[in-house]
Amino acid sequence: DAKTTQPTSMDCAEGRAANLPCNHSTISGNEYVYWYRQIHSQGPQYIIHGLKNNETNEMASLIITEDRKSSTLILPHATLRDTAVYYCIPISNFGNEKLTFGTGTRLTIIP
Amino acid sequence: GAVVSQHPSWVICKSGTSVKIECRSLDFQATTMFWYRQFPKQSLMLMATSNEGSKATYEQGVEKDKFLINHASLTLSTLTVTSAHPEDSSFYICSARRTELIEETQYFGPGTRLLVL
């Protein structure tokens, strides 16, 4: 069974906020939620991660539900350079777990 | 943010030759690095975990004698594709695990595109 469920694809208008949902209903108590993105023909880029509190950095905001079964990545003002495949990955720290990539969400920013 | 580099960014070689790809963590030390492979229109697949000073751990189905991994220092891991064949043509991506206090984050290199003729 997949650990996460994400929409296959989404479109967002340039300049608007892009909200990318992720369902991780089987997440363990010690697992963080990490978000990465992969722009075409590049290596994945780390975006943000969180455990249970909402997080914000210069790239994005991460909203995690209180029961931790789902989260939303928010790109506040999407630009064309944000077009990429976005991956939500639950993983524990210090458990020798390996980062496993699913199919992610293909986000297309429309001019 | 943490920077991971890869060299070369792309390589074309003849079938039967060996190709070495370097992965460096530029501004942090990484005890553990990872090697992934990505075929067109597919997601990244983990090939192996590279631990500094010890043998790499390979994922099921990955031939350790074909994909030689060396992690001789805390900032460098190398992947050598031995006797490359056209089916080895792929996008190879490394990552390095950075530890800050109690949290760990993997940072990825830009990838190396290998074409075997």
Side-chain angles (χ1 to χ4, degrees):
Chain A
D1 288 337
K3 295 181 69 173
T4 62
T5 303
Q6 296 181 254
T8 303
S9 64
M10 292 179 64
D11 292 340
C12 178
E14 187 179 16
R16 305 296 290 266
N19 298 282
L20 293 95
C22 179
N23 180 290
H24 35 78
S25 58
T26 60
I27 192 169
S28 301
N30 63 349
E31 287 185 320
Y32 288 71
V33 180
Y34 280 77
W35 282 82
Y36 286 82
R37 71 181 182 184
Q38 186 177 25
I39 296 170
H40 184 62
S41 296
Q42 298 182 23
Q45 179 186 22
Y46 164 76
I47 302 173
I48 198 168
H49 73 279
L51 183 62
K52 56 183 178 180
N53 297 320
N54 297 337
E55 302 287 342
T56 296
N57 62 20
E58 64 279 3
M59 287 184 68
S61 294
L62 175 60
I63 308 298
I64 303 174
T65 58
E66 193 169 341
D67 61 9
R68 300 202 335 116
K69 293 185 177 182
S70 65
S71 61
T72 301
L73 178 75
I74 301 172
L75 307 178
H77 304 288
T79 71
L80 297 179
R81 288 178 294 181
D82 292 321
T83 293
V85 179
Y86 286 76
Y87 298 94
C88 157
I89 307 173
I91 187 169
S92 69
N93 280 187
F94 296 97
N96 289 322
E97 276 197 42
K98 303 163 189 176
L99 215 55
T100 304
F101 289 80
T103 54
T105 296
R106 181 172 297 279
L107 175 67
T108 302
I109 306 303
I110 301 171
Chain B
V3 180
V4 176
S5 70
Q6 276 184 247
H7 178 80
S9 55
W10 59 269
V11 58
I12 302 173
C13 70
K14 293 182 179 180
S15 185
T17 61
S18 294
V19 175
K20 179 187 282 189
I21 302 170
E22 293 186 348
C23 176
R24 294 181 185 274
S25 55
L26 298 185
D27 52 358
F28 66 99
Q29 294 183 329
T31 305
T32 305
M33 292 184 174
F34 303 86
W35 287 96
Y36 293 79
R37 180 169 54 181
Q38 185 175 34
F39 292 107
K41 298 188 178 181
Q42 294 185 22
S43 193
L44 281 79
M45 294 298 295
L46 179 65
M47 298 175 66
T49 302
S50 170
N51 296 297
E52 187 268 336
S54 64
K55 291 183 178 180
T57 304
Y58 291 81
E59 295 299 300
Q60 191 172 8
V62 178
E63 300 175 55
K64 62 179 182 180
D65 294 330
K66 181 170 183 61
F67 298 99
L68 302 180
I69 292 172
N70 184 279
H71 193 158
S73 79
L74 289 173
T75 59
L76 174 64
S77 175
T78 61
L79 169 69
T80 300
V81 183
T82 62
S83 185
H85 287 92
E87 58 265 29
D88 298 322
S89 298
S90 188
F91 191 44
Y92 291 86
I93 308 167
C94 73
S95 70
R97 180 187 282 164
R98 180 179 186 178
T99 302
E100 293 181 281
L101 298 178
I102 63 169
E103 296 184 351
E104 299 178 324
T105 300
Q106 273 185 241
Y107 294 91
F108 287 80
T112 296
R113 197 162 296 281
L114 171 64
L115 177 61
V116 184
L117 302 176

